[in-house]
Amino acid sequence: MTAAPDKELSKPSNFLRQIIERDLEQGTYAQRHWAGQPADAATHEQGVPDPAKIRTRFPPEPNGYLHVGHAKSICLNFGLAQDYGGVCHMRFDDTNPEKEDQEYVDSILDAVKWLGFGWDANGTSHYYHASDYFDFMYRAAEYLIEAGLAYVDEQTAEEMRHNRGDFGKPGTDSPYRSRSIDESLQRFRDMRDGKLADGAAVLRAKIDMASPNINMRDPAIYRIRRATHHNTGDKWCIYPMYTYAHPIEDALENITHSLCTLEFEDQRPFYDWLLDRLSEGGLINKPHPRQYEFARLNLTYVITSKRKLKQLVDDEHVSGWDDPRMPTIVGLRRRGYTPESIQLFAERIGVTKSDSWIDYGTLDQALRDDLDPKAARAMAVLDPVKLIITNWDQLMEDAGHAAFDGLYLDDCSAPVHPHDESRGVRNFKFGKELWIERSDYEDVPPKGYNRLFPGNKVRLKYGHVIECQGAVRDETGQVVSVLADLVPDTKSGTPGASAIKVKGVITWVAVADALKAEVRLYDRLFAVPQPDTTEKDFLEELNPDSLKVVTAYVEPSLASAKGDEKFQFERHGYFVADRKDHAEGKPVFNRVAGMKDSWGK
Ligand code: ATP
Ligand code: MG
């Protein structure tokens, strides 16, 4: 047996890998301790040396189904942790007191697991909720006030906006900025104790109202909001702002590399400011986590905004979150994309620091590369027309074969996989009546056309060579059947079969043993490559032909297909038995991707 190739070596480097490798080399985080669970500095200090070489996290808000952009983030965070002896934490960012929807939580956990990742490591389940840290966040806020680093501002929202300034104009100090520490502390406790109305005051970090970075102009870190939280109930009527909560979540969890998308770049100075202050105060472990930004994924012909995907579902433009045209992880899964293909895709697109659009064809290519060596082959006719072998019965009779139920049938076979003999063969019949693709016949062949036209010879794959006679049409001119004669002694796999050279090979199934199947031919969800980037309403950019349902005939080996099983339909591409609707006796297949890239054409 040869050793498996080192997976690591085949992964392209990127700026994040370089940062991590440098940190590991320099031992940046080597001295840190881990309490066995998220904790403050003192508690971590009493723990063991952190067994994880690095810690990353995937922190979704449980407010929708994950999409392909999240898949990139999942592959990145979990993948890097895996590659560098680290762990990735599964964390729900539930600091907003909105109702957490169990449906979303379940689907998110399911998506991460399906993609091939988990959060159990070193005997611990690294599954966390940001709301578990509310007590610490409150304590840290009081610390900031006591250190003269935060104050309660009671300006109106309007005044606050006005005094913030803008890009060209520095902000103006709030009159409350200079109030005493004691007064701020008292007012903050009043906020907490429900003595102030929603919106009457906020706690702000005291940094620099003249900073060129508007995020550093005394950002709000706590607001009053009377809302019941799914986890903490009515304990709190004040909630931390995301920009304040996120760095603290990372710090308590000992995260080393906090990866986020580029729009958070301007937040990084505050992230560092806050963690510097809190570690100076001895509240959080040192050295503290670092934030690194990467470009979010934009994929052509789809959209990646949870809110807009929800609109497609709510307005019934698609059949649900798992509609196979949806770029949600449940949609991709039902369409037939495999976890491996999505991981491969994420690896190929890499991570960069500048926004760009990735061609949808890249995802399909990853799917083909994953499935080509794995998927069983099958023949299917998607737009069927009958082919009649006019001399078949005579040939069979002359050879002394017996007819069953008036039909002469012959056995044919084909490999399950052309490059893996051990997977055996598929068996099917050949007879007088076959189904072929309507597009495989022309009265007058266009230039370069090698398939059926009067006088031309083609090979029926795994069957015989035939010579076309012509076609029978109905009164509307539509072809009802194509006629051909079989050329004797040309059966595939028999001696001398290839004596007659033909240019065209076509696929087929026999009328006698083919199965009728519903085949769903999916196309781009949007008609334009970059939907939702202009003034136009994105709904007007939907592709009206994104789904075509056809009744096809498929070879009998597919009778045993299981839901979610993938196949290559020869010549047509990759198909999956629909995980919801496919059933024995009622086959339903989805087209995942064609044999070749047609996205750019
Ligand atoms: P949306 O805007 O679609 O609601 P979000 O960023 O608000 O997405 P979160 O639940 O906060 O959704 O995202 C969880 C993680 O996934 C975050 O770390 C976020 O940066 C990342 N993420 C979200 N969208 C993308 C994307 N298109 N490409 C890469 N990463 C993404
Ligand atoms: Mg978000």
Side-chain angles (χ1 to χ4, degrees):
M1 220 180 90
T2 50
D6 190 341
K7 221 177 148 200
E8 229 93 311
L9 290 178
S10 65
K11 288 191 183 169
S13 186
N14 61 50
F15 76 98
L16 292 173
R17 288 182 177 275
Q18 286 164 14
I19 288 167
I20 291 170
E21 284 163 19
R22 188 203 59 206
D23 282 336
L24 290 175
E25 219 171 272
Q26 298 178 348
T28 312
Y29 296 99
Q31 304 306 317
R32 297 206 310 175
H33 283 66
W34 168 247
Q37 59 184 23
D40 61 11
T43 316
H44 274 316
E45 215 33 65
Q46 288 164 22
V48 297
D50 196 330
K53 291 223 171 75
I54 62 166
R55 287 182 190 267
T56 55
R57 84 283 173 270
F58 176 63
E61 266 180 87
N63 61 355
Y65 279 75
L66 300 185
H67 53 62
V68 64
H70 296 110
K72 170 178 174 175
S73 177
I74 292 169
C75 292
L76 189 62
N77 281 295
F78 283 93
L80 287 172
Q82 233 166 40
D83 290 349
Y84 291 102
V87 299
C88 179
H89 295 189
M90 178 70 225
R91 177 205 304 157
F92 281 106
D93 210 324
D94 60 351
T95 50
N96 252 328
E98 280 150 7
K99 191 178 153 6
E100 184 179 66
D101 201 321
Q102 196 57 39
E103 179 190 352
Y104 296 141
V105 171
D106 292 344
S107 85
I108 290 170
L109 295 177
D110 214 47
V112 174
K113 284 190 254 178
W114 178 73
L115 280 171
F117 302 105
W119 42 86
D120 288 345
N122 311 314
T124 310
S125 171
H126 297 284
Y127 176 62
Y128 303 116
H129 281 90
S131 58
D132 287 337
Y133 314 141
F134 280 163
D135 285 329
F136 180 88
M137 288 173 190
Y138 180 82
R139 186 177 131 211
E142 285 210 349
Y143 164 76
L144 291 176
I145 297 172
E146 282 163 359
L149 297 167
Y151 61 99
V152 171
D153 194 352
E154 295 176 58
Q155 295 182 99
T156 62
E158 182 50 44
E159 286 167 334
M160 243 180 273
R161 197 167 330 139
H162 179 78
N163 289 338
R164 192 176 299 127
D166 54 37
F167 279 111
K169 196 167 115 237
T172 315
D173 285 2
S174 160
Y176 296 94
R177 196 178 202 264
S178 52
R179 75 196 322 182
S180 73
I181 287 174
D182 285 345
E183 197 186 340
S184 266
L185 196 56
Q186 188 51 52
R187 289 309 265 169
F188 187 49
R189 290 177 179 169
D190 288 345
M191 283 169 65
R192 177 198 61 189
D193 296 339
K195 294 183 181 159
L196 297 178
D198 281 18
V202 292
L203 182 67
R204 297 178 75 174
K206 194 189 260 188
I207 309 177
D208 178 7
M209 287 305 291
S211 172
N213 182 340
I214 292 177
N215 297 296
M216 293 298 271
R217 294 182 188 170
D218 293 6
I221 59 181
Y222 257 98
R223 64 194 162 130
I224 309 172
R225 178 122 188 260
R226 284 170 175 77
T228 305
H229 190 280
H230 76 98
N231 183 16
T232 55
D234 291 323
K235 177 173 176 189
W236 300 96
C237 67
I238 55 171
Y239 289 96
M241 305 296 283
Y242 177 85
T243 46
Y244 173 76
H246 202 86
I248 293 180
E249 295 158 23
D250 286 346
L252 295 178
E253 291 181 20
N254 253 12
I255 300 303
T256 53
H257 301 82
S258 178
L259 315 180
C260 63
T261 40
L262 284 177
E263 64 270 26
F264 292 99
E265 192 166 10
D266 289 345
Q267 300 284 0
R268 180 163 20 100
F270 178 69
Y271 184 102
D272 289 334
W273 180 91
L274 178 64
L275 295 187
D276 282 340
R277 301 294 84 76
L278 295 181
S279 53
E280 280 163 13
L283 277 88
I284 59 158
N285 226 358
K286 270 196 289 200
H288 65 66
R290 293 278 167 199
Q291 172 181 307
Y292 301 95
E293 308 86 21
F294 63 94
R296 63 185 291 122
L297 169 65
N298 297 308
L299 190 60
T300 58
Y301 298 104
V302 297
I303 49 170
T304 47
S305 147
K306 270 188 222 158
R307 192 172 58 78
K308 290 189 172 150
L309 291 172
K310 185 166 190 310
Q311 199 180 335
L312 293 181
V313 175
D314 291 344
D315 298 352
E316 299 182 7
H317 295 287
V318 293
S319 65
W321 286 103
D322 67 349
D323 185 299
R325 290 165 292 184
M326 289 281 273
T328 50
I329 297 181
V330 283
L332 295 170
R333 179 180 187 181
R334 185 162 171 209
R335 171 77 165 263
Y337 292 97
T338 56
E340 294 82 0
S341 67
I342 296 173
Q343 286 189 24
L344 188 59
F345 168 73
E347 212 171 281
R348 284 181 181 169
I349 60 176
V351 279
T352 62
K353 285 202 72 95
S354 57
D355 276 317
S356 66
W357 283 78
I358 301 293
D359 193 280
Y360 195 98
T362 312
L363 179 57
D364 280 348
Q365 192 52 47
L367 189 270
R368 288 185 205 105
D369 292 343
D370 178 43
L371 285 189
D372 179 47
K374 296 182 191 166
R377 288 356 188 212
M379 288 204 286
V381 177
L382 304 182
D383 182 15
V385 69
K386 240 177 218 178
L387 169 69
I388 297 175
I389 311 291
T390 46
N391 60 347
W392 178 250
D393 285 353
Q394 193 60 54
L395 285 170
M396 291 300 272
E397 211 181 303
D398 293 350
H401 287 279
F404 292 96
D405 286 340
L407 286 179
Y408 288 104
L409 296 174
D410 186 24
D411 293 319
C412 291
S413 68
V416 171
H417 195 283
H419 308 303
D420 186 356
E421 250 178 58
S422 72
R423 293 179 65 175
V425 296
R426 310 125 50 186
N427 296 303
F428 39 86
K429 300 290 183 197
F430 187 96
K432 179 178 179 175
E433 296 194 332
L434 309 173
W435 295 112
I436 59 167
E437 295 293 340
R438 188 166 287 278
S439 61
D440 282 345
Y441 174 79
E442 295 281 352
D443 280 334
V444 182
K447 199 166 180 291
Y449 188 89
N450 294 322
R451 291 168 277 163
L452 295 167
F453 56 87
N456 195 40
K457 291 194 185 76
V458 304
R459 172 167 294 283
L460 294 168
K461 197 165 187 190
Y462 312 119
H464 307 254
V465 173
I466 56 170
E467 181 171 344
C468 182
Q469 314 297 319
V472 180
R473 292 176 181 273
D474 64 15
E475 59 279 10
T476 67
Q478 166 105 311
V479 173
V480 220
S481 51
V482 176
L483 307 177
D485 267 347
L486 189 137
V487 181
D489 306 322
T490 56
K491 186 175 177 184
S492 294
T494 59
S498 50
I500 294 189
K501 299 279 176 238
V502 294
K503 283 197 183 137
V505 180
I506 65 173
T507 46
W508 54 279
V509 291
V511 170
D513 68 349
L515 307 173
K516 215 178 213 183
E518 176 178 327
V519 175
R520 300 171 181 172
L521 301 170
Y522 292 105
D523 200 352
R524 305 155 197 193
L525 181 55
F526 285 90
V528 297
Q530 301 183 0
D532 202 27
T533 51
T534 62
E535 302 284 276
K536 220 168 167 180
D537 182 0
F538 77 107
L539 293 174
E540 285 172 36
E541 299 176 320
L542 280 167
N543 175 9
D545 303 316
S546 56
L547 171 59
K548 195 171 140 204
V549 181
V550 300
T551 300
Y553 288 102
V554 302
E555 68 169 59
S557 70
L558 291 174
S560 58
K562 301 275 175 290
D564 216 27
E565 197 176 348
K566 283 100 187 159
F567 299 91
Q568 186 197 98
F569 287 179
E570 304 194 30
R571 289 172 78 197
H572 291 299
Y574 293 94
F575 290 71
V576 65
D578 188 82
R579 54 199 310 269
K580 251 188 179 167
D581 299 337
H582 174 86
E584 219 184 296
K586 191 188 158 284
V588 180
F589 295 98
N590 302 330
R591 178 170 65 197
V592 199
M595 293 297 286
K596 281 199 219 97
D597 180 18
S598 59
W599 286 88
K601 285 158 208 140

